[in-house]
Amino acid sequence: MTANKDVTPVTELRVPSSKGATAVEVRLRRSAVQLFAEKGYAATGIRDIARATGITSATLYHYTSSKEALLMDIMRDGHRALTESVQRQLKSSDLPEERLGILVGGLAAAHATNPLSTRVVDSEIRALAIGSDARTEIVMLRDHFESFWTKVLSEGIKEGVFTIDDEHLTRLSLISMCTGMSYWYRPALGHDLVQLATHFSDLALGAVRAQRNGKAIRGRDLRPLRIDLVPILDSEPPHI
Amino acid sequence: MTANKDVTPVTELRVPSSKGATAVEVRLRRSAVQLFAEKGYAATGIRDIARATGITSATLYHYTSSKEALLMDIMRDGHRALTESVQRQLKSSDLPEERLGILVGGLAAAHATNPLSTRVVDSEIRALAIGSDARTEIVMLRDHFESFWTKVLSEGIKEGVFTIDDEHLTRLSLISMCTGMSYWYRPALGHDLVQLATHFSDLALGAVRAQRNGKAIRGRDLRPLRIDLVPILDSEPPHI
DNA sequence: TTTTCCCAATCGATCGATCGATTGAGTTGT
DNA sequence: ACAACTCAATCGATCGATCGATTGGGAAAA
């Protein structure tokens, strides 16, 4: 269970699994995500990460500059993948009800397929010192992502499709409903992703009282949600 | 900012603020809750807690047996207050729609009035070692609380008031929607507690498609929610 | 030969926890 | 009345363990 101290030296296959990352780098990232999600960033030591990766803590520093850099990479990639996915899909519709479905369904699906990394992305800002450059950067990424929600909600209100008492309250409620998934949802329970995303989308449409011509809008009135989010890190690494 | 080294020795007023706890004990608890919520249990040192309380780390051990005992007390009290409140209020109604409103509204209100301690209660199980007695105890308390939700949801289905695709999914979605509040909601923003609880209750009734005689049930169809949750620890300590 | 990869050993700092000593306000004995 | 005693409360100093990070060097690959 440690490393491969076998007869064949194996020579650490150089076949890159994705974007030029070596096998060790991929394992390192996956170990960090796993442990950060499980025990939290502060409670995870670099020795824990190294052990889970199969290297020593010294070797770890050959692949990353610091424990914080490890966290920052995870958070940056997580935000980037989510924002790109949302930005791409939002171009497919001008209807506020469909656009809200894309946001809610996409965020829910992202947390369902990547419960570990999303949990780290969502909850470990606290690990970054208040006022630090790192924290400022992540907060900016988060604010940018949330700006899409603000925009879609206000568009829906302007077009008379949504009825919302408190925009601020509603936006944060909907987002935290999706992000909360990563605390209890575990994949491979036989759930269909599209069905799950539609379930959350329906809930959101009910929350904003979405309607046209006096008739409430449900998920079935929308074009079926397309799940195109690339799994970030939780999924198994590609076989080599 | 240290202690009261004034002319009058003050003699550490023995007036108990609540349940025989001295002023120092109350301050200690509040400091722990504040720091655990802000930085997390693992990232908070006993020196941090002691400094925030105005004592040394050695004195801290006169009032508590360990850092973990401090956390356990917070979690026990949090669960107890919530469970007692829910148990008490559920006796006031037999209607599944009202009972669900009590659960959702009560949990949302609890997180709105005590965002700090609820955040600790909800998210710091991870700090307790897997398989430890402490973790087992807290998991039991949490399961007991969630059993009320399971019961109410299945009652509503049996009576034909609720229509739910996936009971397990729905229960956890609703709970995490309420608990998620403590991550972004901050009190004293001019929000009315009853209105806020009703907002969440409405959302939940929509999620379970609550209806009687073919007509959807909204919050206004229910008796107004009564907020009776005793603030746990986030609020200011009683003046003496 | 140079570069990449990896480790044992070790750094200073900080962790949770404990120590013995001190203070001061009550209680008891005479 | 006053010394003798008890006890909760608090401190500075320090414990062993672990923290994140660094060093210098060996082995393997290019």
Side-chain angles (χ1 to χ4, degrees):
Chain A
M1 214 15 93
T2 48
N4 26 24
K5 288 291 180 185
D6 300 337
V7 190
T8 34
V10 174
T11 71
E12 193 58 276
L13 295 178
R14 263 312 201 97
V15 181
S17 55
S18 79
K19 296 205 184 98
T22 66
V24 180
E25 284 172 314
V26 171
R27 271 161 45 217
L28 175 58
R29 175 74 85 94
R30 285 174 43 87
S31 301
V33 167
Q34 168 91 36
L35 289 169
F36 288 167
E38 198 174 301
K39 313 198 298 170
Y41 173 81
T44 302
I46 52 167
R47 288 168 184 82
D48 297 329
I49 305 173
R51 195 181 312 119
T53 311
I55 57 178
T56 65
S57 66
T59 304
L60 182 144
Y61 281 94
H62 178 73
Y63 294 99
T64 188
S65 59
S66 69
K67 181 180 152 187
E68 187 181 282
L70 219 41
L71 174 63
M72 288 294 287
D73 283 343
I74 294 169
M75 301 191 84
R76 260 190 286 255
D77 284 358
H79 273 113
R80 186 180 42 71
L82 250 179
T83 303
E84 282 179 5
S85 168
V86 156
Q87 236 165 346
R88 191 184 324 120
Q89 295 206 59
L90 278 182
K91 289 177 185 160
S92 68
S93 174
D94 285 330
L95 301 175
E97 61 267 38
E98 280 188 355
R99 290 165 69 80
L100 182 62
I102 289 171
L103 288 180
V104 174
L107 191 56
H111 281 76
T113 50
N114 304 280
L116 298 184
S117 48
T118 51
R119 185 162 160 177
V120 174
V121 169
D122 292 337
S123 67
E124 291 296 358
I125 306 188
R126 64 160 64 173
L128 306 173
I130 296 180
S132 65
D133 290 348
R135 191 189 187 104
T136 305
E137 178 189 343
I138 300 299
V139 167
M140 277 181 52
L141 292 178
R142 192 196 55 188
D143 287 350
H144 179 236
F145 176 75
E146 291 196 4
S147 72
F148 292 102
W149 292 66
T150 310
K151 200 170 154 207
V152 167
L153 286 182
S154 61
E155 283 171 355
I157 294 176
K158 200 190 301 171
E159 294 191 22
V161 187
F162 299 162
T163 305
I164 299 177
D165 292 332
D166 189 322
E167 252 184 278
H168 187 252
L169 188 76
T170 300
R171 183 182 80 245
L172 294 172
S173 299
L174 292 180
I175 292 178
S176 81
M177 180 181 70
C178 300
T179 58
M181 283 193 71
S182 58
Y183 285 97
W184 52 267
Y185 184 83
R186 283 297 165 267
L189 288 180
H191 282 140
D192 175 33
L193 257 196
V194 176
Q195 178 186 330
L196 190 132
T198 308
H199 180 263
F200 275 85
S201 174
D202 256 12
L203 222 148
L205 292 175
V208 300
R209 300 175 177 77
Q211 58 175 354
R212 285 193 184 272
N213 311 319
K215 223 173 68 65
I217 301 173
R218 303 301 296 265
R220 73 177 82 90
D221 308 318
L222 274 50
R223 275 180 290 174
L225 288 169
R226 191 165 57 88
I227 306 296
D228 80 332
L229 188 90
V230 180
I232 310 176
L233 265 176
D234 290 11
S235 63
E236 287 298 317
H239 259 252
I240 41 181
Chain B
M1 209 27 83
T2 49
N4 28 23
K5 288 289 181 189
D6 300 340
V7 190
T8 35
V10 173
T11 72
E12 190 57 276
L13 293 179
R14 265 313 198 95
V15 182
S17 56
S18 79
K19 298 208 184 94
T22 65
V24 179
E25 284 172 313
V26 172
R27 271 161 44 216
L28 176 58
R29 175 75 85 93
R30 286 172 43 88
S31 301
V33 167
Q34 167 91 37
L35 289 169
F36 288 166
E38 197 174 302
K39 313 199 297 170
Y41 174 81
T44 302
I46 52 167
R47 290 167 183 81
D48 297 330
I49 306 173
R51 196 181 310 119
T53 311
I55 57 179
T56 65
S57 67
T59 304
L60 183 145
Y61 281 93
H62 179 73
Y63 294 98
T64 190
S65 59
S66 69
K67 182 181 155 187
E68 186 181 283
L70 220 40
L71 174 63
M72 287 295 286
D73 283 344
I74 294 169
M75 301 191 84
R76 260 190 286 255
D77 284 359
H79 273 113
R80 185 180 42 72
L82 251 181
T83 303
E84 284 179 5
S85 168
V86 157
Q87 236 164 346
R88 191 185 322 121
Q89 294 205 59
L90 277 182
K91 290 176 185 161
S92 68
S93 175
D94 286 328
L95 301 175
E97 61 268 38
E98 280 187 355
R99 290 164 69 79
L100 181 62
I102 288 170
L103 289 179
V104 174
L107 191 56
H111 282 74
T113 51
N114 303 280
L116 298 183
S117 46
T118 50
R119 185 163 161 177
V120 174
V121 169
D122 293 336
S123 67
E124 291 296 358
I125 307 188
R126 63 161 64 172
L128 307 173
I130 295 178
S132 66
D133 291 348
R135 193 189 185 103
T136 304
E137 178 190 343
I138 300 299
V139 167
M140 278 181 52
L141 291 179
R142 192 195 56 185
D143 287 349
H144 179 235
F145 176 75
E146 291 195 4
S147 72
F148 293 101
W149 291 67
T150 308
K151 201 171 155 207
V152 167
L153 286 182
S154 61
E155 283 171 355
I157 294 175
K158 199 190 303 170
E159 294 191 22
V161 188
F162 298 163
T163 305
I164 299 178
D165 292 332
D166 188 323
E167 252 183 279
H168 186 253
L169 188 76
T170 300
R171 182 181 83 245
L172 293 171
S173 299
L174 292 180
I175 291 179
S176 80
M177 180 181 70
C178 300
T179 57
M181 281 194 71
S182 57
Y183 284 96
W184 52 267
Y185 184 84
R186 285 297 165 264
L189 288 180
H191 281 138
D192 176 31
L193 257 195
V194 176
Q195 177 186 330
L196 190 131
T198 308
H199 180 264
F200 275 85
S201 174
D202 256 12
L203 222 149
L205 291 174
V208 299
R209 300 175 178 76
Q211 57 174 356
R212 283 192 185 271
N213 311 318
K215 221 172 68 68
I217 301 174
R218 303 302 296 265
R220 73 177 83 91
D221 307 318
L222 275 50
R223 275 180 291 174
L225 287 168
R226 193 165 55 89
I227 306 295
D228 80 332
L229 186 91
V230 182
I232 310 176
L233 264 176
D234 291 12
S235 63
E236 287 297 317
H239 259 251
I240 40 178

